[in-house]
Amino acid sequence: MSVDPAVYARLRQIADQLPQVPGIGKVEIADGEIVMMMSPVKRHELAVVRIARQLNAQLPTTHPGHIAHPGADLEDAGLGRLRRPDLMVFAEKSLEEEDAALLPHEVLLVVEIVSKSNPENDYQDKVRDYAAMGIPLYLIIDPRTGTGIAHSEPGYASREKFAFGDTIMIGPWTLDTSVLQTYA
């Protein structure tokens, strides 16, 4: 599963130098390849905003100093992985550091909103990667089907399925999924 460190370093260097291309939302590195993702659609981004809002309302009580934030990179150079989750929960002070990306041990929860174009990435590749990184919680939200899965326990041994409209628990947080919309 890991990639030669020299190969990963070169891929990371190339990824960092890629120009911003209209329609490309994010760049990731997985399985020894640079992966360019399409920009997300509005309902994808709405799901991110609504889940982040709920988490940020609860974090001062459960994890003071932590935030639910989109747009940060997550890197595990040892595994040869650079991911850009749709949303992560981590200590806000982590953003003060000079490092270009968050490290897995800094992240409590990763949230991915399934895209129309590449759903197997979230259901297979990222389940494998986030579990290998040791991320404690992984939430998949699938607007294609109006469903999702809350992964927990080491290696994601626990997988709780839900449908939009359910109130779910992910770690110490309660989320109302009735605020989510399916893709048109």
Side-chain angles (χ1 to χ4, degrees):
M1 180 155 139
S2 62
V3 172
D4 177 271
V7 171
Y8 178 76
R10 181 68 181 134
L11 289 171
R12 183 69 157 112
Q13 183 180 34
I14 292 167
D16 289 344
Q17 294 174 357
L18 288 172
Q20 293 294 321
V21 178
I24 301 297
K26 55 187 171 181
V27 175
E28 297 184 335
I29 300 172
D31 300 321
E33 298 178 350
I34 294 174
V35 181
M36 300 179 81
M37 312 295 274
M38 298 300 293
S39 293
V41 297
K42 289 182 191 178
R43 290 195 177 173
H44 178 283
E45 292 303 285
L46 183 61
V48 171
V49 167
R50 289 182 172 172
I51 295 298
R53 187 177 299 136
Q54 291 183 59
L55 289 166
N56 281 320
Q58 297 171 62
L59 284 166
T61 302
T62 64
H63 293 83
H66 283 67
I67 57 172
H69 179 72
D73 287 336
L74 173 63
E75 182 173 39
D76 189 324
L79 292 176
R81 298 292 188 268
L82 175 68
R83 293 292 190 182
R84 187 159 223 200
D86 292 315
L87 184 67
M88 289 185 283
V89 171
F90 56 89
E92 183 175 354
K93 69 181 178 183
S94 297
L95 295 176
E96 297 173 4
E97 299 169 4
E98 291 292 323
D99 300 328
L102 294 168
L103 300 175
H105 73 271
E106 297 174 299
V107 178
L108 302 177
L109 166 68
V110 170
V111 179
E112 293 286 3
I113 313 302
V114 176
S115 68
K116 291 180 181 181
S117 62
N118 192 10
E120 57 279 345
N121 191 32
D122 297 317
Y123 281 107
Q124 296 169 13
D125 301 342
K126 291 182 181 180
V127 169
R128 175 199 66 214
D129 290 352
Y130 296 147
M133 290 179 184
I135 307 293
L137 303 166
Y138 175 33
L139 180 64
I140 299 174
I141 296 171
D142 194 340
R144 298 169 317 131
T145 60
T147 62
I149 303 172
H151 297 269
S152 62
E153 297 182 16
Y156 303 147
S158 175
R159 298 175 183 196
E160 298 294 324
K161 295 181 180 183
F162 63 90
F164 286 14
D166 293 345
T167 298
I168 64 166
M169 292 292 298
I170 181 81
W173 307 295
T174 303
L175 299 175
D176 174 8
T177 67
S178 70
V179 301
L180 302 173
Q181 297 180 347
T182 58
Y183 294 137

